[in-house]
Amino acid sequence: MSKADELKVDLEEASLNSSLNHADSADDRLRTLGEKNPYYVHNLAWTVEEEKRIVRTFDLKILSWIGVMFFFMQLDRGNMANALTDNFMEDLNINLNTVTLGSTIFTLFFCLFEIPSNMVIRRAGPQRWIPFLMCFWGLSTACQFFLKDKATFLICRALVGMFEAGYIPGIAIYLTTYYKKDEMATRLSIFWSTLAIANSVAGVLAYGILHMRGVAGHAGWRWLFLFEGLATVLIGILSFFILPEGPTATKGGFRFKGYLTDRQEQIAITRLIRDDPTKADTGKGVVSKKHVFKALTSPRVWPNILIGFFGLLPFSPLTILSPLIIKNLNLGVPPLVSNLLVIPGYVISLSIMTFVSWSSDKHKERAFHGALASTYYALCILALAALPEDASKLSLYFALIFAMGGQTCWHPVNAAWIAGNTAPVGKRSIALALYIISVNACDMVSVNLFRDEDAPRFITGFWILFGALLLTIVLFIFQRYHLMWVNKKRDEKTRNWTDADWQHYNETTTDEGDDHLSFRYSY
């Protein structure tokens, strides 16, 4: 952001603070903030059924297509696991350690470009930026058809990681422009449920496509990368015409006459601002350095980020190596069938994640849901680590499948927790980017825990993952009581404040968003 842009933002905030000086009551404050958005109607009333109809429209028109987009993203991220069962390493003359290095490079580039991508998404508009990213990571995936050696493999993994950066937190921010705080975990679970669906379908697709080995003289894994990459490009192009800018801009493109009436647009915006007044901001500038700094230094954000890092350490090893682990179990099935045998794990994952997220939204509770889900996950990982060397192949297989069932079960809850507890939108976008960085940065550690010399059981790696999940449980509980303590301190400080005290505070403070003393954290 240029100095001129930063000065403009500061002047706008100063103007708003001046207006808030005259907003002595909570209702007046809401009115002042809400009227920054031209679609906000302070005294607007609506029925429960009207609101449900609007939310259903968003679910069917917006969330469903976002799910399709994420489905193809996960195909592109997961096809490496399938390619490994089709002599991928032998064809390129590389070993598992090189594959692990490729995963590390993918993650490194993903993390490096995550925050820059989310700094520009507001100016470019998520409805443009997200499809742009999708088209280019699809092309990078398709280019893996032409891999020749270790160098070309590593270059392609870097490109895929660079263009996928920014997509997931960008989608999360985009969804907050349609849904209230207590609707987000369920919607994010639906979003991430396509991960389980994609991983399940990927096994079926891979089973068919990998049988194309020899067609036109090429290996099956080459056709897998080409077909799934080009399909992603097609979905990215369609997304330019399907994703609207927001609830009040749904007309045009393949949306034709739009999704909402004028009244429904007013309801959609007003209900969001009443739930979170910071959403009244309609600015489209690049995220300011101030909001980046506040997100990076907020002690209320970092426990959730650490939860993402330690809690999802098992994700990449289980996702990437599960077909290979099953193949090494020698269950008496053809090697390509290993891709099909992981599907039950993803079905279990989908079921648990959906239930945990729904329950979290229903009961408006985050920490205990995350801790209990992590406990299930930890027990499954413990089984993989502790089963004796002479354990039956079937017991190891079922332990792996149930462990896969826990790998993202609390992920939407934690993401929704961050989104609901971080404001304004600039700070929120960077906080979510940091969270996704932590989730993916852990891949650089986790995949290196599983080495050739530890195959086929990888017991050392599973013991380390078990310890990480125990720490995750502690972090969930800590964050709950940490936020309760912050709320209590704010209550004690402002309990006896008069309207004059609040006016003086608003005149003199630089606090905004969740740093403002009127903000209360959910837990």
Side-chain angles (χ1 to χ4, degrees):
M1 177 181 278
S2 68
K3 292 292 185 182
D5 288 337
E6 288 186 355
L7 178 60
K8 180 180 178 182
V9 170
D10 290 339
L11 288 173
E12 288 175 349
E13 290 176 354
S15 175
L16 175 61
N17 287 334
S18 177
S19 298
L20 290 175
N21 293 339
H22 303 287
D24 296 337
S25 69
D27 185 68
D28 288 339
R29 180 179 175 81
L30 176 61
R31 183 193 298 274
T32 302
L33 288 169
E35 287 177 352
K36 292 179 66 178
N37 190 302
Y39 290 89
Y40 175 78
V41 180
H42 188 68
N43 296 318
L44 185 66
W46 59 84
T47 65
V48 173
E49 184 54 41
E50 282 184 296
E51 185 170 6
K52 286 182 177 179
R53 190 177 299 116
I54 292 170
V55 173
R56 283 196 299 268
T57 298
F58 293 155
D59 290 342
L60 291 173
K61 304 291 188 178
I62 307 297
L63 187 61
S64 62
W65 185 253
I66 286 174
V68 171
M69 297 171 71
F70 191 56
F71 174 90
F72 281 90
M73 178 185 186
Q74 192 54 36
L75 284 185
D76 292 338
R77 298 190 77 175
N79 49 24
M80 184 58 64
N82 302 122
L84 291 175
T85 65
D86 187 43
N87 297 319
F88 176 81
M89 292 185 289
E90 293 82 356
D91 289 345
L92 294 181
N93 194 29
I94 61 177
N95 57 24
L96 183 59
N97 291 341
T98 301
V99 174
T100 299
L101 177 61
S103 178
T104 301
I105 288 176
F106 166 89
T107 303
L108 178 62
F109 275 76
F110 185 98
C111 294
L112 286 175
F113 286 89
E114 189 76 57
I115 290 179
S117 180
N118 278 274
M119 288 182 70
V120 303
I121 193 170
R122 289 188 74 198
R123 173 164 289 182
Q127 78 282 5
R128 300 187 190 94
W129 187 246
I130 293 171
F132 166 81
L133 293 175
M134 193 170 188
C135 288
F136 277 89
W137 90 60
L139 286 173
S140 301
T141 298
C143 284
Q144 292 175 112
F145 177 88
F146 304 102
L147 293 181
K148 299 296 183 183
D149 49 27
K150 176 180 178 180
T152 54
F153 166 66
L154 297 179
I155 290 171
C156 280
R157 298 315 295 167
L159 288 173
V160 174
M162 180 176 70
F163 287 116
E164 285 190 3
Y167 173 78
I168 294 177
I171 286 293
I173 287 294
Y174 184 59
L175 289 176
T176 63
T177 64
Y178 295 94
Y179 296 104
K180 298 193 299 186
K181 292 179 183 178
D182 60 3
E183 297 167 345
M184 278 295 293
T186 301
R187 271 68 197 182
L188 286 174
S189 76
I190 295 172
F191 168 62
W192 268 302
S193 70
T194 56
L195 183 152
I197 297 171
N199 286 332
S200 300
V201 174
V204 178
L205 289 175
Y207 181 75
I209 296 174
L210 293 179
H211 276 94
M212 293 180 65
R213 173 172 282 271
V215 174
H218 296 297
W221 58 264
R222 293 187 187 274
W223 294 113
L224 182 69
F225 288 132
L226 181 66
F227 290 159
E228 293 185 355
L230 292 180
T232 299
V233 174
L234 175 61
I235 296 300
I237 293 172
L238 291 174
S239 298
F240 279 108
F241 304 96
I242 292 176
L243 288 184
E245 182 178 354
T248 61
T250 61
K251 296 179 177 67
F254 290 162
R255 302 176 301 274
F256 304 109
K257 295 183 179 180
Y259 302 151
L260 303 178
T261 65
D262 291 344
R263 172 174 168 77
Q264 286 177 323
E265 289 180 350
Q266 291 179 336
I267 296 173
I269 295 300
T270 303
R271 79 185 197 100
L272 286 180
I273 295 173
R274 288 181 184 175
D275 179 63
D276 180 358
T278 64
K279 291 182 181 180
D281 183 9
T282 57
K284 295 182 180 180
V286 174
V287 175
S288 68
K289 295 176 183 177
K290 178 178 71 174
H291 289 158
V292 173
F293 178 77
K294 284 183 175 293
L296 286 170
T297 58
S298 173
R300 273 86 67 185
V301 169
W302 277 98
N304 293 99
I305 292 174
L306 292 175
I307 285 170
F309 181 86
F310 290 107
L312 288 176
L313 272 177
F315 177 75
S316 278
L318 289 179
T319 300
I320 295 174
L321 298 178
S322 54
L324 190 61
I325 292 172
I326 292 174
K327 178 183 176 182
N328 291 337
L329 286 177
N330 296 316
L331 295 175
V333 297
L336 294 185
V337 176
S338 302
N339 295 304
L340 301 178
L341 292 179
V342 301
I343 292 177
Y346 295 121
V347 173
I348 296 172
S349 174
L350 172 61
S351 302
I352 296 176
M353 180 176 62
T354 301
F355 174 76
V356 170
S357 300
W358 169 82
S359 179
S360 176
D361 274 349
K362 178 178 176 60
H363 297 288
K364 295 181 173 59
E365 199 284 329
R366 304 303 191 200
F368 287 143
H369 280 79
L372 289 173
S374 297
T375 300
Y376 163 82
Y377 199 6
L379 291 174
C380 293
I381 295 295
L382 176 63
L384 287 170
L387 281 172
E389 292 285 345
D390 59 352
S392 70
K393 295 177 181 178
L394 282 179
S395 64
L396 289 170
Y397 169 72
F398 282 112
L400 177 64
I401 291 304
F402 281 105
M404 292 174 66
Q407 58 188 359
T408 56
C409 54
W410 51 260
H411 191 20
V413 171
N414 198 36
W417 201 5
I418 294 172
N421 277 348
T422 313
V425 66
K427 181 180 177 182
R428 182 183 298 130
S429 64
I430 300 303
L432 284 167
L434 289 171
Y435 175 60
I436 299 302
I437 287 174
S438 74
V439 166
N440 287 272
C442 73
D443 292 351
M444 292 188 286
V445 176
S446 63
V447 295
N448 287 287
L449 299 176
F450 289 70
R451 312 294 292 179
D452 274 333
E453 53 269 27
D454 296 325
R457 285 285 306 275
F458 304 105
I459 290 176
T460 300
F462 282 121
W463 274 116
I464 295 173
L465 297 181
F466 175 67
L469 289 174
L470 291 182
L471 180 56
T472 302
I473 296 168
V474 172
L475 285 168
F476 268 115
I477 302 303
F478 166 80
Q479 181 68 331
R480 175 184 174 86
Y481 290 102
H482 170 219
L483 296 179
M484 289 175 65
W485 177 80
V486 173
N487 286 351
K488 181 180 178 182
K489 287 295 182 181
R490 291 184 177 183
D491 287 339
E492 290 175 350
K493 184 170 183 177
T494 62
R495 180 176 294 121
N496 297 319
W497 279 17
T498 63
D499 288 343
D501 293 325
W502 278 109
Q503 182 174 339
H504 175 72
Y505 170 69
N506 287 325
E507 287 175 348
T508 57
T509 188
T510 59
D511 296 339
E512 61 174 340
D514 66 279
D515 292 321
H516 198 276
L517 290 180
S518 63
F519 190 95
R520 295 297 179 269
Y521 295 97
S522 62
Y523 45 81

